Amino acid sequence: MKNKYAVIIFLVGSMLAVIGALFKMMHWPYANTALLSAMSLQVLGGFIFIIKLFFTEKGKDFLKS
């Protein structure tokens, strides 16, 4: 898995967090579901990024992989 997929997963989670916060402020339904899934996506993206960071070879450029 490339690093860009981890960044994409994290950004989708961030966008969903903004939408969930809007739903929460407007008292619309499914706000808690949106916020829970957003936080889960952000944790998953961060976890993938950290795992890739630890298992990348020392001489390889990390951000371009």
Side-chain angles (χ1 to χ4, degrees), residues 13-50:
S14 297
M15 289 187 303
L16 194 57
V18 170
I19 292 170
L22 174 68
F23 274 39
K24 193 78 166 174
M25 285 187 280
M26 300 295 290
H27 301 289
W28 290 346
Y30 306 115
N32 292 332
T33 306
L35 288 172
L36 180 66
S37 60
M39 296 304 164
S40 300
L41 282 174
Q42 287 179 337
V43 167
L44 179 68
F47 185 69
I48 291 171
F49 197 72
I50 288 171

